[in-house]
Amino acid sequence: MCVRTFDDHSAQLADKFIAAWHFTPVVSDAFPNIDCTIELRREATPPAVPSDMDRFEVPHGFCHTDGVTSYLKIGESLIRFNPPALKKIEVWIDDNAGERTSVALARLIFYATQAALRRCGRYEIHASGVVAPGSRTGALIIGVSGSGKSTLAVRLGLGGWGYLSDDTMLLGATPDGVAAWGFRKAFSLTQRTLTAVALPSVDAAMREHDELDDNKQRLEPSVMFPSGFIEKCRPGALFFSSLSHEAKTVVLPLSSHAAMTRLMRMCPWACYDAPIAREHLDVLARLSKQSVAFDLRAGHDLLDEPHTAARLVASHMGELL
């Protein structure tokens, strides 16, 4: 993936956000084959969105599409998802004070980057990822914000599990099945989670507030977790997490069909981004078939009892470990 900027402001934005993600810079005059380029412009006037397109709401914006080309408006800024054959995502950053807030810009660059990654065969999912000690098999904890997935990831990290991410994962097809990669380097935790799990070395790990959510604190996981970062894993278990507000956590098995249905709900761009929907849905279908899946209804014991998370997840992964 290539990022091309046309002004200093856009270049600074690209450097800032890409530095926070698990990308490896290519330093060379002879670039390898590029699957997709993101073009960032600040001062240029964005094109008019065609009036005859279908329009629907997405988190923090609106998408206009004819099934081939899509325009995503975030405030007054604009992203154009071109057909995959053009290998290009274009971004026009609105030049007014409101659109230069960190939250608006973070969302804008995030959406553009994820669109480019989909054209590189990497598909995002709102999940945390962990790997059991002594194992190469990963577990994905999948859920919306506030579903307990970050708390589980922290508990498992403190228990010696390797970590990939606490929030956003990338999925992709490999010869050995569907693999998962972590996307964001830092963890992002609410004060409730920080207080409940009593993180060691929390002061040393503390960073700035999350740019996408002022209610969360960014933390450097390498300072907190002994087993360290795992770049990639083959998911063998999927835990679809929600908060039950009961005393005890309940875990129920799910069929591959039920897991696929839930994956589609958690990956709406598999339907929104129509030109690459087939490839995206195929990766989700393969993931649902290669993994055992569970409905995890998280109770208070996950917060109150330090060893519950590792014991619970390991017991349901069973022979996978």
Side-chain angles (χ1 to χ4, degrees), residues 153-155 157-158 161 163 187 199 220-228:
V154 169
R155 282 294 193 204
L158 293 173
W161 291 52
Y163 67 89
F187 273 38
L199 287 168
E220 176 52 58
S222 63
V223 176
M224 301 182 294
F225 305 136
S227 293

Side-chain angles (χ1 to χ4, degrees), residues 162-181:
Y163 67 89
L164 291 89
S165 174
D166 78 314
D167 184 73
T168 303
M169 303 288 299
L170 299 176
L171 304 172
T174 75
D176 298 323
V178 175
W181 293 261

Side-chain angles (χ1 to χ4, degrees), residues 19-312:
W21 302 330
H22 287 295
F23 286 128
T24 301
V26 176
V27 183
S28 173
D29 293 330
F31 290 105
N33 292 330
I34 295 172
D35 293 305
C36 192
T37 295
I38 302 173
E39 293 187 349
L40 293 172
R41 297 174 175 86
R42 176 184 175 189
E43 297 179 355
T45 302
V49 177
S51 60
D52 58 347
M53 289 186 156
D54 294 330
R55 177 180 181 269
F56 57 90
E57 188 172 2
V58 298
H60 316 296
F62 291 90
C63 186
H64 306 252
T65 185
D66 60 6
V68 178
T69 302
S70 297
Y71 295 81
L72 181 58
K73 292 207 70 175
I74 307 294
E76 296 302 316
S77 296
L78 183 69
I79 308 170
R80 179 160 63 193
F81 300 172
N82 291 295
L86 295 182
K87 299 184 176 182
K88 184 165 64 175
I89 302 295
E90 297 170 279
V91 183
W92 289 268
I93 303 168
D94 185 63
D95 192 28
N96 68 57
E99 282 305 299
R100 277 181 269 153
T101 64
S102 60
V103 172
L105 290 172
R107 290 169 180 163
L108 186 73
I109 304 304
F110 180 82
Y111 270 127
T113 303
Q114 294 300 333
L117 286 169
R118 291 193 294 272
R119 283 148 179 79
C120 299
R122 298 291 181 263
Y123 308 101
E124 75 274 18
I125 183 170
H126 205 41
S128 59
V130 291
V131 175
S135 170
R136 292 189 171 185
T137 301
L140 302 187
I141 304 161
I142 305 165
V144 299
S145 294
S147 63
K149 64 182 183 302
S150 293
T151 300
L152 265 172
V154 169
R155 282 294 193 204
L156 292 166
L158 293 173
W161 291 52
Y163 67 89
L164 291 89
S165 174
D166 78 314
D167 184 73
T168 303
M169 303 288 299
L170 299 176
L171 304 172
T174 75
D176 298 323
V178 175
W181 293 261
F183 178 68
R184 187 176 62 185
K185 293 179 181 177
F187 273 38
S188 183
L189 307 177
T190 63
Q191 187 58 51
R192 178 174 181 267
T193 296
L194 290 170
T195 301
V197 299
L199 287 168
S201 308
V202 68
D203 291 338
M206 194 80 70
R207 297 173 68 176
E208 66 273 15
H209 284 287
D210 190 308
E211 289 176 312
L212 291 176
D213 189 341
D214 288 335
N215 295 317
K216 292 185 177 181
Q217 183 73 45
R218 295 180 68 196
L219 298 168
E220 176 52 58
S222 63
V223 176
M224 301 182 294
F225 305 136
S227 293
F229 172 64
I230 305 294
E231 179 180 347
K232 170 185 171 184
C233 75
R234 185 182 189 277
L238 309 176
F239 294 88
F240 294 91
S241 179
S242 61
L243 295 181
S244 70
H245 303 292
E246 300 293 334
K248 294 293 183 181
T249 298
V250 175
V251 182
L252 303 172
L254 294 172
S255 67
S256 293
H257 176 75
M260 179 62 181
T261 300
R262 295 193 181 206
L263 285 171
M264 290 176 63
R265 290 175 188 161
M266 294 304 303
C267 302
W269 286 101
C271 298
Y272 295 166
D273 202 349
I276 56 170
R278 182 185 297 273
E279 294 87 348
H280 197 160
L281 290 169
D282 179 65
V283 166
L284 297 182
R286 293 176 62 183
L287 176 65
S288 68
K289 292 176 182 177
Q290 80 177 34
S291 309
V292 293
F294 303 94
D295 178 10
L296 189 156
R297 302 173 187 178
H300 296 301
D301 53 340
L302 283 183
L303 284 175
D304 299 336
E305 301 172 17
H307 303 294
T308 297
R311 183 172 62 248
L312 180 148

